Amino acid sequence: MEKLTNKEEEIMKILWRLNKAFVKDIMEEIKENKPHYNTLSTIVRNLEDKKFVGFTAYGKTHQYFPLIKKEDYYKAYVNKEMVGYFDNSYKNIVSFFAKEEKISVDELKEIINLIENGK
């Protein structure tokens, strides 16, 4: 599995949320910096070439759906890259977000509870 570009990740997030969609459906979900329809169609076909999406053909129209689970992609890339920024330390990640006040004490307690209970 290869790393996706930012735009490809944006499209995949939409497909993961919708489960299946035509290019026009994906276009409707993009709120800012909407690409031209043909550009979006090319991005989706690139995702197909990369084996991230499959499709069902309805004549000349294709309805796309994810072939890769969001969790699998995040495990392979997002977590790996995020940890890399913090010297491969999850403690450093949590500490960073606590110091930047992006995570509350209650959320930290919830995380500890999840760890202690194995969930």
Side-chain angles (χ1 to χ4, degrees):
M1 180 183 330
E2 65 183 273
K3 175 82 172 88
L4 299 177
T5 66
N6 290 340
K7 196 52 127 175
E8 289 170 336
E9 281 186 13
E10 179 184 354
I11 303 311
M12 283 306 301
K13 286 177 186 176
I14 292 169
L15 281 170
W16 283 321
R17 190 172 64 253
L18 297 177
N19 293 317
K20 56 184 176 180
F22 296 97
V23 172
K24 68 177 183 65
D25 300 324
I26 297 168
M27 182 69 80
E28 289 174 10
E29 295 293 315
I30 299 173
K31 303 301 179 206
E32 297 178 5
N33 300 320
K34 284 187 187 262
H36 186 276
Y37 182 92
N38 292 341
T39 302
L40 179 57
S41 182
T42 298
I43 294 169
V44 174
R45 284 195 310 277
N46 288 342
L47 288 167
E48 179 191 342
D49 291 342
K50 292 179 177 183
K51 307 291 188 228
F52 274 80
V53 300
F55 67 87
T56 303
Y58 297 97
K60 293 182 179 182
T61 304
H62 294 106
Q63 185 178 43
Y64 295 93
F65 53 87
L67 294 174
I68 302 292
K69 293 180 184 175
K70 179 170 65 171
E71 295 79 16
D72 293 340
Y73 180 72
Y74 284 142
K75 283 179 189 175
Y77 289 103
V78 176
N79 289 337
K80 179 181 174 184
E81 287 190 21
M82 182 178 279
V83 172
Y85 285 111
F86 294 95
D87 298 324
N88 294 319
S89 169
Y90 288 101
K91 177 183 161 195
N92 289 347
I93 294 171
V94 174
S95 175
F96 169 80
F97 286 111
K99 286 177 188 173
E100 294 294 317
E101 299 179 10
K102 304 288 186 196
I103 189 168
S104 70
V105 172
D106 288 339
E107 289 170 321
L108 285 170
K109 288 177 183 177
E110 187 177 333
I111 291 168
I112 291 168
N113 187 39
L114 289 169
I115 294 168
E116 290 176 343
N117 293 318
K119 296 181 181 180

